[in-house]
Amino acid sequence: MDIGSAFANPEAENKGVWVEYRDGSKIKIARIGSLPFTKAYDAALKPHRRKQRAGTMDTVLETRILCEVVSKTILLNWEGFTNEGKEYKYSRKRAYDLLWGNIDFRNEIVELATVEETFHKDEQEDSAKNS
């Protein structure tokens, strides 16, 4: 086994990679579980740790924290997004709003950010060729 190609690229996991999304749009995502994500998620949950451990943390709050952390550390950019026919440029605020307001989008981003193959060197090279 060649460990250089058998596992995901740590730099890509932390800094993100461009992937094809829908209707010709692209998103730049980092990996859930990466160091930036883990640090931010731990920091955001710290004030709520007691309730989380007790199983009494409010689900809405937990989802809001997840959306905030994903918008800061996982969903890093996008291209080709529109809103009512007008270009919808990326911003962290817009990323949060879209993650919070659309469960399907949130689930898709989280799923893409967990797939190891997304962050392999050969996948990144194929993506770059197709861009």
mmCIF file of all heavy atoms in Angstrom, residues 34-82:
data_model
loop_
_atom_site.group_PDB
_atom_site.id
_atom_site.type_symbol
_atom_site.label_atom_id
_atom_site.label_comp_id
_atom_site.label_asym_id
_atom_site.label_seq_id
_atom_site.Cartn_x
_atom_site.Cartn_y
_atom_site.Cartn_z
ATOM 1 N N SER A 34 -11.443 17.782 10.148
ATOM 2 C CA SER A 34 -10.141 18.435 9.999
ATOM 3 C C SER A 34 -9.835 19.243 11.261
ATOM 4 O O SER A 34 -10.727 19.545 12.062
ATOM 5 C CB SER A 34 -10.137 19.352 8.774
ATOM 6 O OG SER A 34 -11.052 20.428 8.968
ATOM 7 N N LEU A 35 -8.588 19.596 11.419
ATOM 8 C CA LEU A 35 -8.186 20.353 12.599
ATOM 9 C C LEU A 35 -8.932 21.682 12.726
ATOM 10 O O LEU A 35 -9.433 22.000 13.811
ATOM 11 C CB LEU A 35 -6.668 20.567 12.595
ATOM 12 C CG LEU A 35 -6.076 21.143 13.872
ATOM 13 C CD1 LEU A 35 -6.410 20.281 15.086
ATOM 14 C CD2 LEU A 35 -4.569 21.277 13.723
ATOM 15 N N PRO A 36 -9.066 22.484 11.648
ATOM 16 C CA PRO A 36 -9.825 23.738 11.797
ATOM 17 C C PRO A 36 -11.276 23.504 12.242
ATOM 18 O O PRO A 36 -11.796 24.220 13.090
ATOM 19 C CB PRO A 36 -9.769 24.361 10.403
ATOM 20 C CG PRO A 36 -8.539 23.794 9.781
ATOM 21 C CD PRO A 36 -8.441 22.391 10.319
ATOM 22 N N PHE A 37 -11.921 22.491 11.669
ATOM 23 C CA PHE A 37 -13.301 22.184 12.057
ATOM 24 C C PHE A 37 -13.366 21.761 13.521
ATOM 25 O O PHE A 37 -14.191 22.264 14.290
ATOM 26 C CB PHE A 37 -13.888 21.082 11.167
ATOM 27 C CG PHE A 37 -15.236 20.612 11.636
ATOM 28 C CD1 PHE A 37 -16.378 21.317 11.308
ATOM 29 C CD2 PHE A 37 -15.357 19.482 12.429
ATOM 30 C CE1 PHE A 37 -17.635 20.898 11.756
ATOM 31 C CE2 PHE A 37 -16.599 19.057 12.885
ATOM 32 C CZ PHE A 37 -17.735 19.768 12.541
ATOM 33 N N THR A 38 -12.500 20.846 13.903
ATOM 34 C CA THR A 38 -12.526 20.315 15.262
ATOM 35 C C THR A 38 -12.296 21.407 16.298
ATOM 36 O O THR A 38 -13.013 21.482 17.304
ATOM 37 C CB THR A 38 -11.476 19.194 15.413
ATOM 38 O OG1 THR A 38 -11.745 18.189 14.431
ATOM 39 C CG2 THR A 38 -11.528 18.567 16.785
ATOM 40 N N LYS A 39 -11.311 22.264 16.046
ATOM 41 C CA LYS A 39 -11.032 23.359 16.990
ATOM 42 C C LYS A 39 -12.224 24.303 17.109
ATOM 43 O O LYS A 39 -12.619 24.690 18.208
ATOM 44 C CB LYS A 39 -9.803 24.141 16.539
ATOM 45 C CG LYS A 39 -8.512 23.457 16.826
ATOM 46 C CD LYS A 39 -7.347 24.346 16.389
ATOM 47 C CE LYS A 39 -6.021 23.785 16.811
ATOM 48 N NZ LYS A 39 -4.897 24.658 16.442
ATOM 49 N N ALA A 40 -12.796 24.683 15.971
ATOM 50 C CA ALA A 40 -13.925 25.615 15.981
ATOM 51 C C ALA A 40 -15.155 24.993 16.623
ATOM 52 O O ALA A 40 -15.875 25.652 17.394
ATOM 53 C CB ALA A 40 -14.238 26.082 14.566
ATOM 54 N N TYR A 41 -15.419 23.734 16.337
ATOM 55 C CA TYR A 41 -16.588 23.058 16.896
ATOM 56 C C TYR A 41 -16.445 22.907 18.412
ATOM 57 O O TYR A 41 -17.387 23.180 19.165
ATOM 58 C CB TYR A 41 -16.779 21.701 16.218
ATOM 59 C CG TYR A 41 -18.139 21.088 16.444
ATOM 60 C CD1 TYR A 41 -19.284 21.690 15.914
ATOM 61 C CD2 TYR A 41 -18.291 19.916 17.156
ATOM 62 C CE1 TYR A 41 -20.538 21.143 16.105
ATOM 63 C CE2 TYR A 41 -19.540 19.348 17.348
ATOM 64 C CZ TYR A 41 -20.662 19.968 16.825
ATOM 65 O OH TYR A 41 -21.902 19.422 17.022
ATOM 66 N N ASP A 42 -15.261 22.502 18.852
ATOM 67 C CA ASP A 42 -15.027 22.380 20.295
ATOM 68 C C ASP A 42 -15.197 23.724 20.998
ATOM 69 O O ASP A 42 -15.811 23.800 22.065
ATOM 70 C CB ASP A 42 -13.625 21.817 20.573
ATOM 71 C CG ASP A 42 -13.527 20.326 20.306
ATOM 72 O OD1 ASP A 42 -14.573 19.673 20.119
ATOM 73 O OD2 ASP A 42 -12.393 19.809 20.274
ATOM 74 N N ALA A 43 -14.655 24.787 20.412
ATOM 75 C CA ALA A 43 -14.766 26.117 21.013
ATOM 76 C C ALA A 43 -16.224 26.578 21.070
ATOM 77 O O ALA A 43 -16.662 27.156 22.067
ATOM 78 C CB ALA A 43 -13.924 27.122 20.230
ATOM 79 N N ALA A 44 -16.977 26.316 20.013
ATOM 80 C CA ALA A 44 -18.383 26.741 19.975
ATOM 81 C C ALA A 44 -19.234 25.965 20.970
ATOM 82 O O ALA A 44 -20.196 26.504 21.525
ATOM 83 C CB ALA A 44 -18.934 26.579 18.559
ATOM 84 N N LEU A 45 -18.891 24.719 21.204
ATOM 85 C CA LEU A 45 -19.673 23.892 22.133
ATOM 86 C C LEU A 45 -19.253 24.056 23.591
ATOM 87 O O LEU A 45 -20.009 23.684 24.497
ATOM 88 C CB LEU A 45 -19.555 22.417 21.752
ATOM 89 C CG LEU A 45 -20.390 21.972 20.562
ATOM 90 C CD1 LEU A 45 -20.110 20.516 20.235
ATOM 91 C CD2 LEU A 45 -21.871 22.179 20.816
ATOM 92 N N LYS A 46 -18.087 24.615 23.826
ATOM 93 C CA LYS A 46 -17.554 24.702 25.188
ATOM 94 C C LYS A 46 -18.541 25.299 26.198
ATOM 95 O O LYS A 46 -18.742 24.726 27.267
ATOM 96 C CB LYS A 46 -16.248 25.486 25.195
ATOM 97 C CG LYS A 46 -15.534 25.422 26.509
ATOM 98 C CD LYS A 46 -14.167 26.080 26.440
ATOM 99 C CE LYS A 46 -13.460 25.908 27.772
ATOM 100 N NZ LYS A 46 -12.097 26.435 27.726
ATOM 101 N N PRO A 47 -19.207 26.416 25.867
ATOM 102 C CA PRO A 47 -20.157 26.971 26.854
ATOM 103 C C PRO A 47 -21.368 26.078 27.111
ATOM 104 O O PRO A 47 -22.083 26.262 28.084
ATOM 105 C CB PRO A 47 -20.611 28.294 26.219
ATOM 106 C CG PRO A 47 -19.692 28.561 25.096
ATOM 107 C CD PRO A 47 -19.082 27.267 24.698
ATOM 108 N N HIS A 48 -21.580 25.098 26.246
ATOM 109 C CA HIS A 48 -22.764 24.242 26.337
ATOM 110 C C HIS A 48 -22.413 22.792 26.677
ATOM 111 O O HIS A 48 -23.268 21.916 26.610
ATOM 112 C CB HIS A 48 -23.523 24.278 25.005
ATOM 113 C CG HIS A 48 -23.727 25.652 24.480
ATOM 114 N ND1 HIS A 48 -24.657 26.527 25.008
ATOM 115 C CD2 HIS A 48 -23.089 26.331 23.491
ATOM 116 C CE1 HIS A 48 -24.593 27.683 24.350
ATOM 117 N NE2 HIS A 48 -23.658 27.583 23.438
ATOM 118 N N ARG A 49 -21.161 22.551 27.012
ATOM 119 C CA ARG A 49 -20.663 21.190 27.210
ATOM 120 C C ARG A 49 -21.446 20.407 28.271
ATOM 121 O O ARG A 49 -21.770 19.246 28.078
ATOM 122 C CB ARG A 49 -19.186 21.238 27.583
ATOM 123 C CG ARG A 49 -18.501 19.923 27.591
ATOM 124 C CD ARG A 49 -18.137 19.367 26.242
ATOM 125 N NE ARG A 49 -17.178 20.204 25.567
ATOM 126 C CZ ARG A 49 -17.114 20.316 24.248
ATOM 127 N NH1 ARG A 49 -17.931 19.644 23.476
ATOM 128 N NH2 ARG A 49 -16.232 21.095 23.676
ATOM 129 N N ARG A 50 -21.782 21.053 29.348
ATOM 130 C CA ARG A 50 -22.502 20.353 30.430
ATOM 131 C C ARG A 50 -23.854 19.845 29.923
ATOM 132 O O ARG A 50 -24.215 18.686 30.155
ATOM 133 C CB ARG A 50 -22.684 21.286 31.632
ATOM 134 C CG ARG A 50 -23.257 20.558 32.844
ATOM 135 C CD ARG A 50 -23.273 21.413 34.089
ATOM 136 N NE ARG A 50 -21.887 21.613 34.535
ATOM 137 C CZ ARG A 50 -21.444 22.715 35.112
ATOM 138 N NH1 ARG A 50 -22.254 23.712 35.336
ATOM 139 N NH2 ARG A 50 -20.189 22.819 35.495
ATOM 140 N N LYS A 51 -24.580 20.704 29.221
ATOM 141 C CA LYS A 51 -25.893 20.281 28.695
ATOM 142 C C LYS A 51 -25.725 19.209 27.612
ATOM 143 O O LYS A 51 -26.533 18.284 27.528
ATOM 144 C CB LYS A 51 -26.646 21.479 28.121
ATOM 145 C CG LYS A 51 -27.212 22.387 29.175
ATOM 146 C CD LYS A 51 -28.043 23.477 28.558
ATOM 147 C CE LYS A 51 -28.639 24.359 29.644
ATOM 148 N NZ LYS A 51 -29.513 25.385 29.085
ATOM 149 N N GLN A 52 -24.682 19.345 26.802
ATOM 150 C CA GLN A 52 -24.456 18.349 25.755
ATOM 151 C C GLN A 52 -24.194 16.977 26.367
ATOM 152 O O GLN A 52 -24.774 15.979 25.943
ATOM 153 C CB GLN A 52 -23.286 18.772 24.864
ATOM 154 C CG GLN A 52 -23.050 17.811 23.712
ATOM 155 C CD GLN A 52 -21.757 18.085 22.980
ATOM 156 O OE1 GLN A 52 -20.775 18.487 23.580
ATOM 157 N NE2 GLN A 52 -21.770 17.861 21.682
ATOM 158 N N ARG A 53 -23.345 16.934 27.366
ATOM 159 C CA ARG A 53 -23.021 15.657 28.028
ATOM 160 C C ARG A 53 -24.234 15.064 28.734
ATOM 161 O O ARG A 53 -24.393 13.842 28.787
ATOM 162 C CB ARG A 53 -21.887 15.855 29.019
ATOM 163 C CG ARG A 53 -20.558 16.044 28.348
ATOM 164 C CD ARG A 53 -19.428 16.145 29.340
ATOM 165 N NE ARG A 53 -18.176 16.359 28.636
ATOM 166 C CZ ARG A 53 -17.212 17.140 29.062
ATOM 167 N NH1 ARG A 53 -17.332 17.786 30.211
ATOM 168 N NH2 ARG A 53 -16.122 17.281 28.362
ATOM 169 N N ALA A 54 -25.081 15.926 29.273
ATOM 170 C CA ALA A 54 -26.282 15.459 29.969
ATOM 171 C C ALA A 54 -27.398 15.087 29.002
ATOM 172 O O ALA A 54 -28.419 14.523 29.410
ATOM 173 C CB ALA A 54 -26.776 16.532 30.937
ATOM 174 N N GLY A 55 -27.211 15.421 27.722
ATOM 175 C CA GLY A 55 -28.245 15.118 26.736
ATOM 176 C C GLY A 55 -29.410 16.084 26.770
ATOM 177 O O GLY A 55 -30.493 15.782 26.272
ATOM 178 N N THR A 56 -29.195 17.269 27.354
ATOM 179 C CA THR A 56 -30.272 18.249 27.479
ATOM 180 C C THR A 56 -30.046 19.488 26.608
ATOM 181 O O THR A 56 -30.779 20.462 26.738
ATOM 182 C CB THR A 56 -30.438 18.690 28.947
ATOM 183 O OG1 THR A 56 -29.212 19.267 29.397
ATOM 184 C CG2 THR A 56 -30.829 17.515 29.827
ATOM 185 N N MET A 57 -29.066 19.430 25.749
ATOM 186 C CA MET A 57 -28.791 20.582 24.879
ATOM 187 C C MET A 57 -29.904 20.721 23.851
ATOM 188 O O MET A 57 -30.338 19.741 23.234
ATOM 189 C CB MET A 57 -27.446 20.415 24.183
ATOM 190 C CG MET A 57 -27.021 21.628 23.401
ATOM 191 S SD MET A 57 -25.318 21.428 22.876
ATOM 192 C CE MET A 57 -25.191 22.756 21.722
ATOM 193 N N ASP A 58 -30.337 21.938 23.646
ATOM 194 C CA ASP A 58 -31.396 22.241 22.690
ATOM 195 C C ASP A 58 -30.944 21.889 21.267
ATOM 196 O O ASP A 58 -29.873 22.310 20.831
ATOM 197 C CB ASP A 58 -31.745 23.732 22.792
ATOM 198 C CG ASP A 58 -32.841 24.126 21.837
ATOM 199 O OD1 ASP A 58 -33.963 23.617 21.979
ATOM 200 O OD2 ASP A 58 -32.550 24.947 20.938
ATOM 201 N N THR A 59 -31.763 21.132 20.566
ATOM 202 C CA THR A 59 -31.429 20.686 19.214
ATOM 203 C C THR A 59 -31.276 21.859 18.251
ATOM 204 O O THR A 59 -30.405 21.846 17.381
ATOM 205 C CB THR A 59 -32.517 19.722 18.697
ATOM 206 O OG1 THR A 59 -32.660 18.663 19.634
ATOM 207 C CG2 THR A 59 -32.154 19.152 17.346
ATOM 208 N N VAL A 60 -32.106 22.866 18.396
ATOM 209 C CA VAL A 60 -32.017 24.041 17.523
ATOM 210 C C VAL A 60 -30.680 24.739 17.730
ATOM 211 O O VAL A 60 -29.999 25.102 16.760
ATOM 212 C CB VAL A 60 -33.199 25.011 17.756
ATOM 213 C CG1 VAL A 60 -33.010 26.299 16.988
ATOM 214 C CG2 VAL A 60 -34.516 24.337 17.380
ATOM 215 N N LEU A 61 -30.269 24.894 18.971
ATOM 216 C CA LEU A 61 -28.979 25.516 19.268
ATOM 217 C C LEU A 61 -27.838 24.688 18.690
ATOM 218 O O LEU A 61 -26.911 25.225 18.081
ATOM 219 C CB LEU A 61 -28.797 25.693 20.774
ATOM 220 C CG LEU A 61 -27.424 26.216 21.227
ATOM 221 C CD1 LEU A 61 -27.143 27.599 20.641
ATOM 222 C CD2 LEU A 61 -27.353 26.240 22.747
ATOM 223 N N GLU A 62 -27.911 23.404 18.861
ATOM 224 C CA GLU A 62 -26.867 22.524 18.340
ATOM 225 C C GLU A 62 -26.772 22.617 16.812
ATOM 226 O O GLU A 62 -25.673 22.660 16.249
ATOM 227 C CB GLU A 62 -27.131 21.083 18.775
ATOM 228 C CG GLU A 62 -25.955 20.177 18.580
ATOM 229 C CD GLU A 62 -26.131 18.847 19.294
ATOM 230 O OE1 GLU A 62 -27.254 18.497 19.710
ATOM 231 O OE2 GLU A 62 -25.110 18.162 19.438
ATOM 232 N N THR A 63 -27.906 22.701 16.153
ATOM 233 C CA THR A 63 -27.922 22.840 14.695
ATOM 234 C C THR A 63 -27.365 24.197 14.271
ATOM 235 O O THR A 63 -26.614 24.294 13.306
ATOM 236 C CB THR A 63 -29.349 22.641 14.148
ATOM 237 O OG1 THR A 63 -29.820 21.359 14.551
ATOM 238 C CG2 THR A 63 -29.387 22.740 12.632
ATOM 239 N N ARG A 64 -27.708 25.234 14.997
ATOM 240 C CA ARG A 64 -27.167 26.567 14.697
ATOM 241 C C ARG A 64 -25.645 26.591 14.850
ATOM 242 O O ARG A 64 -24.938 27.175 14.030
ATOM 243 C CB ARG A 64 -27.806 27.630 15.580
ATOM 244 C CG ARG A 64 -29.217 27.985 15.172
ATOM 245 C CD ARG A 64 -29.662 29.294 15.811
ATOM 246 N NE ARG A 64 -31.011 29.631 15.436
ATOM 247 C CZ ARG A 64 -31.348 30.264 14.311
ATOM 248 N NH1 ARG A 64 -30.440 30.622 13.448
ATOM 249 N NH2 ARG A 64 -32.613 30.545 14.056
ATOM 250 N N ILE A 65 -25.152 25.946 15.890
ATOM 251 C CA ILE A 65 -23.704 25.876 16.091
ATOM 252 C C ILE A 65 -23.047 25.114 14.945
ATOM 253 O O ILE A 65 -22.028 25.545 14.400
ATOM 254 C CB ILE A 65 -23.370 25.233 17.458
ATOM 255 C CG1 ILE A 65 -23.752 26.189 18.591
ATOM 256 C CG2 ILE A 65 -21.889 24.841 17.536
ATOM 257 C CD1 ILE A 65 -23.685 25.581 19.976
ATOM 258 N N LEU A 66 -23.639 24.003 14.548
ATOM 259 C CA LEU A 66 -23.105 23.236 13.434
ATOM 260 C C LEU A 66 -23.055 24.093 12.171
ATOM 261 O O LEU A 66 -22.034 24.135 11.481
ATOM 262 C CB LEU A 66 -23.939 21.980 13.183
ATOM 263 C CG LEU A 66 -23.509 21.165 11.962
ATOM 264 C CD1 LEU A 66 -22.146 20.537 12.175
ATOM 265 C CD2 LEU A 66 -24.556 20.107 11.639
ATOM 266 N N CYS A 67 -24.137 24.809 11.873
ATOM 267 C CA CYS A 67 -24.175 25.661 10.680
ATOM 268 C C CYS A 67 -23.114 26.751 10.744
ATOM 269 O O CYS A 67 -22.454 27.051 9.740
ATOM 270 C CB CYS A 67 -25.563 26.277 10.500
ATOM 271 S SG CYS A 67 -26.832 25.082 10.057
ATOM 272 N N GLU A 68 -22.933 27.335 11.907
ATOM 273 C CA GLU A 68 -21.926 28.378 12.080
ATOM 274 C C GLU A 68 -20.521 27.834 11.835
ATOM 275 O O GLU A 68 -19.726 28.423 11.108
ATOM 276 C CB GLU A 68 -22.022 28.986 13.484
ATOM 277 C CG GLU A 68 -21.036 30.089 13.750
ATOM 278 C CD GLU A 68 -21.264 31.340 12.917
ATOM 279 O OE1 GLU A 68 -22.416 31.620 12.539
ATOM 280 O OE2 GLU A 68 -20.266 32.040 12.630
ATOM 281 N N VAL A 69 -20.227 26.697 12.423
ATOM 282 C CA VAL A 69 -18.892 26.119 12.278
ATOM 283 C C VAL A 69 -18.657 25.631 10.854
ATOM 284 O O VAL A 69 -17.579 25.849 10.291
ATOM 285 C CB VAL A 69 -18.673 25.000 13.318
ATOM 286 C CG1 VAL A 69 -17.345 24.290 13.086
ATOM 287 C CG2 VAL A 69 -18.735 25.569 14.726
ATOM 288 N N VAL A 70 -19.642 25.019 10.248
ATOM 289 C CA VAL A 70 -19.503 24.570 8.858
ATOM 290 C C VAL A 70 -19.301 25.766 7.932
ATOM 291 O O VAL A 70 -18.479 25.719 7.019
ATOM 292 C CB VAL A 70 -20.705 23.696 8.432
ATOM 293 C CG1 VAL A 70 -20.726 23.467 6.924
ATOM 294 C CG2 VAL A 70 -20.682 22.363 9.165
ATOM 295 N N SER A 71 -20.012 26.854 8.178
ATOM 296 C CA SER A 71 -19.861 28.036 7.323
ATOM 297 C C SER A 71 -18.484 28.680 7.480
ATOM 298 O O SER A 71 -17.997 29.329 6.560
ATOM 299 C CB SER A 71 -20.965 29.064 7.591
ATOM 300 O OG SER A 71 -20.802 29.664 8.854
ATOM 301 N N LYS A 72 -17.837 28.483 8.613
ATOM 302 C CA LYS A 72 -16.506 29.048 8.852
ATOM 303 C C LYS A 72 -15.376 28.140 8.388
ATOM 304 O O LYS A 72 -14.328 28.623 7.973
ATOM 305 C CB LYS A 72 -16.293 29.308 10.352
ATOM 306 C CG LYS A 72 -17.042 30.469 10.903
ATOM 307 C CD LYS A 72 -16.717 30.621 12.382
ATOM 308 C CE LYS A 72 -17.452 31.784 12.991
ATOM 309 N NZ LYS A 72 -17.193 31.891 14.435
ATOM 310 N N THR A 73 -15.580 26.831 8.489
ATOM 311 C CA THR A 73 -14.447 25.920 8.307
ATOM 312 C C THR A 73 -14.614 24.875 7.211
ATOM 313 O O THR A 73 -13.631 24.267 6.803
ATOM 314 C CB THR A 73 -14.155 25.174 9.620
ATOM 315 O OG1 THR A 73 -15.278 24.345 9.959
ATOM 316 C CG2 THR A 73 -13.850 26.141 10.757
ATOM 317 N N ILE A 74 -15.822 24.654 6.732
ATOM 318 C CA ILE A 74 -16.060 23.582 5.755
ATOM 319 C C ILE A 74 -16.502 24.135 4.401
ATOM 320 O O ILE A 74 -15.879 23.860 3.387
ATOM 321 C CB ILE A 74 -17.115 22.577 6.279
ATOM 322 C CG1 ILE A 74 -16.663 21.958 7.596
ATOM 323 C CG2 ILE A 74 -17.413 21.505 5.228
ATOM 324 C CD1 ILE A 74 -15.345 21.202 7.557
ATOM 325 N N LEU A 75 -17.560 24.912 4.367
ATOM 326 C CA LEU A 75 -18.052 25.497 3.119
ATOM 327 C C LEU A 75 -17.310 26.817 2.910
ATOM 328 O O LEU A 75 -17.682 27.857 3.450
ATOM 329 C CB LEU A 75 -19.567 25.722 3.181
ATOM 330 C CG LEU A 75 -20.224 26.309 1.937
ATOM 331 C CD1 LEU A 75 -19.939 25.475 0.698
ATOM 332 C CD2 LEU A 75 -21.713 26.462 2.160
ATOM 333 N N LEU A 76 -16.238 26.769 2.126
ATOM 334 C CA LEU A 76 -15.294 27.882 2.047
ATOM 335 C C LEU A 76 -15.549 28.837 0.883
ATOM 336 O O LEU A 76 -15.063 29.968 0.906
ATOM 337 C CB LEU A 76 -13.869 27.336 1.956
ATOM 338 C CG LEU A 76 -13.479 26.378 3.093
ATOM 339 C CD1 LEU A 76 -12.089 25.813 2.845
ATOM 340 C CD2 LEU A 76 -13.570 27.084 4.439
ATOM 341 N N ASN A 77 -16.277 28.392 -0.116
ATOM 342 C CA ASN A 77 -16.545 29.249 -1.277
ATOM 343 C C ASN A 77 -17.523 28.524 -2.189
ATOM 344 O O ASN A 77 -17.786 27.341 -2.014
ATOM 345 C CB ASN A 77 -15.240 29.547 -2.028
ATOM 346 C CG ASN A 77 -15.304 30.822 -2.844
ATOM 347 O OD1 ASN A 77 -16.370 31.362 -3.117
ATOM 348 N ND2 ASN A 77 -14.137 31.311 -3.234
ATOM 349 N N TRP A 78 -18.046 29.257 -3.158
ATOM 350 C CA TRP A 78 -18.848 28.644 -4.212
ATOM 351 C C TRP A 78 -18.802 29.506 -5.446
ATOM 352 O O TRP A 78 -18.467 30.687 -5.388
ATOM 353 C CB TRP A 78 -20.284 28.369 -3.774
ATOM 354 C CG TRP A 78 -21.140 29.566 -3.419
ATOM 355 C CD1 TRP A 78 -21.398 30.676 -4.178
ATOM 356 C CD2 TRP A 78 -21.901 29.741 -2.210
ATOM 357 N NE1 TRP A 78 -22.260 31.526 -3.536
ATOM 358 C CE2 TRP A 78 -22.580 30.973 -2.317
ATOM 359 C CE3 TRP A 78 -22.073 28.977 -1.075
ATOM 360 C CZ2 TRP A 78 -23.415 31.449 -1.311
ATOM 361 C CZ3 TRP A 78 -22.905 29.452 -0.089
ATOM 362 C CH2 TRP A 78 -23.564 30.678 -0.215
ATOM 363 N N GLU A 79 -19.138 28.882 -6.561
ATOM 364 C CA GLU A 79 -19.249 29.570 -7.847
ATOM 365 C C GLU A 79 -20.487 29.048 -8.551
ATOM 366 O O GLU A 79 -20.846 27.881 -8.409
ATOM 367 C CB GLU A 79 -18.021 29.287 -8.729
ATOM 368 C CG GLU A 79 -16.743 29.886 -8.222
ATOM 369 C CD GLU A 79 -15.546 29.558 -9.096
ATOM 370 O OE1 GLU A 79 -15.691 28.812 -10.087
ATOM 371 O OE2 GLU A 79 -14.442 30.038 -8.775
ATOM 372 N N GLY A 80 -21.140 29.924 -9.284
ATOM 373 C CA GLY A 80 -22.285 29.510 -10.077
ATOM 374 C C GLY A 80 -23.599 29.450 -9.327
ATOM 375 O O GLY A 80 -24.566 28.875 -9.821
ATOM 376 N N PHE A 81 -23.679 30.046 -8.161
ATOM 377 C CA PHE A 81 -24.928 30.090 -7.413
ATOM 378 C C PHE A 81 -25.693 31.343 -7.826
ATOM 379 O O PHE A 81 -25.099 32.401 -8.010
ATOM 380 C CB PHE A 81 -24.672 30.144 -5.903
ATOM 381 C CG PHE A 81 -24.346 28.812 -5.281
ATOM 382 C CD1 PHE A 81 -23.444 27.940 -5.855
ATOM 383 C CD2 PHE A 81 -24.937 28.433 -4.090
ATOM 384 C CE1 PHE A 81 -23.137 26.720 -5.273
ATOM 385 C CE2 PHE A 81 -24.640 27.229 -3.488
ATOM 386 C CZ PHE A 81 -23.741 26.370 -4.082
ATOM 387 N N THR A 82 -27.003 31.210 -7.945
ATOM 388 C CA THR A 82 -27.865 32.345 -8.259
ATOM 389 C C THR A 82 -29.050 32.349 -7.307
ATOM 390 O O THR A 82 -29.388 31.335 -6.700
ATOM 391 C CB THR A 82 -28.379 32.280 -9.715
ATOM 392 O OG1 THR A 82 -29.109 31.069 -9.900
ATOM 393 C CG2 THR A 82 -27.237 32.357 -10.717
#
